[in-house]
Amino acid sequence: MQLGLVGLGRMGGNMRDRVRAAGHEVVGYDPRPEVSDVASLADLAVALTAPRVVWVMVPSGEPTRGTVRALAEVLEPGDLVIDGGNSRYTDDAPNAVLLDARGIGYLDVGVSGGIWGKENGYGLMAGGSAEHVARAMPVFDALRPEGPREEGFAHAGPVGAGHFAKMVHNGIEYGLMQAYAEGYELLSATELVTDVPGVLQAWSRGTVVRSWLLDLLVLALREDPGLAGLTDYVEDSGEGRWTIEEAIRHAVPLPVISAALFARFASRQESSPAMRAVAALRHQFGGHAVHAAAGPAGPPGEQAGPSSTQS
């Protein structure tokens, strides 16, 4: 099969290599000429034999929407566009409508696997028509992990379902990572456990908490014991927020995923106005001790107040 691939970054470049290794022809386009096979999207269309299949792997939002609009100008009726980036599912219906007006098909595909996908394969969640999914199946089979198809690929539903499924997947990922991180911190806080990395590694086989994410934490601690080379500032790429917004819309409680996202927000604060307000309130209503901020007179210290049994 022949595939056009737009976006040859960490994920896209590795996907090109994996699909080629499976025996398919891949023509890639990227604005960086040193990694691109062609000079433009128009050249990409010329290099592919109709009916074409073009996979888009660029950042979500306007970069993806703009790429879809540009492809609509250079592709032809009967071609198929696949958005495999982390687009919000609400972008998929407008993309599909835009392309359908030109006779071009559309699939949205959530892709999981990160930088390890080149070797291990990618988990894939597709949204769109059964006809379009069947047409792209040779590419899906090349990208997914070895083994039964249903353990690495799902036709999740109509247009939008693939990205919705990937959004929830990433929300779950937030919660899992936070749970492992909290367990690691508690193990590190006690003097009783003297080999924290060893305990985590012992969990990697046979236990109910074993997972690939746990394996990656073990690897990270092997490379940097104590994680001293990192700060505790944690970004979020958007999918966790979208997951919580959808939960609110559907009245579905997500306490774990919400707490995991808010923990990332807390990691970015050098100080917390909210906690200063809590300290002030405790001092006001109960006379509880507070820690004064540093000022011209010197470093912060404790300001005592009358004793109280209140919280």
Side-chain angles (χ1 to χ4, degrees), residues 41-215:
L41 289 177
D43 289 344
L44 177 69
V46 170
L48 298 172
T49 302
R52 307 166 182 84
V53 176
V54 179
W55 189 300
V56 178
M57 208 68 190
V58 303
S60 62
E62 186 54 34
T64 293
R65 292 190 292 266
T67 299
V68 170
R69 289 194 298 268
L71 286 170
E73 299 297 326
V74 298
L75 297 180
E76 299 174 335
D79 292 344
L80 175 63
V81 171
I82 302 172
D83 175 13
N86 276 333
S87 294
R88 191 165 189 171
Y89 81 97
T90 50
D91 283 350
D92 292 316
N95 286 342
V97 169
L98 171 69
L99 293 170
D100 184 66
R102 307 290 183 98
I104 302 168
Y106 180 81
L107 291 174
D108 60 283
V109 179
V111 180
S112 178
I115 60 175
W116 299 84
K118 178 179 177 180
E119 297 179 8
N120 300 334
Y122 301 89
L124 306 170
M125 300 138 269
S129 72
E131 175 189 357
H132 290 149
V133 168
R135 181 173 164 191
M137 192 59 73
V139 176
F140 298 148
D141 282 340
L143 288 170
R144 66 175 176 82
E146 295 181 5
R149 179 183 290 164
E150 60 270 20
E151 294 182 4
F153 172 83
H155 180 190
V159 166
H163 281 145
F164 192 99
K166 179 56 164 47
M167 174 191 71
V168 176
H169 164 283
N170 283 22
I172 292 170
E173 182 183 298
Y174 277 51
L176 289 172
M177 288 192 288
Q178 186 66 29
Y180 284 128
E182 291 175 7
Y184 162 72
E185 182 170 2
L186 182 55
L187 288 169
S188 301
T190 180
E191 296 179 357
L192 192 61
V193 177
T194 57
D195 185 3
V196 173
V199 170
L200 295 173
Q201 187 168 7
W203 292 351
S204 63
R205 289 182 182 271
T207 74
V208 296
V209 298
R210 66 189 184 275
S211 77
W212 185 53
L213 284 173
L214 177 61
D215 294 342

Side-chain angles (χ1 to χ4, degrees), residues 240-264:
R241 301 182 189 219
W242 301 342
T243 303
I244 293 168
E245 289 171 5
E246 287 301 314
I248 294 170
R249 192 166 75 86
H250 292 279
V252 174
L254 297 185
V256 172
I257 295 173
S258 300
L261 177 64
F262 295 157
R264 296 191 183 195

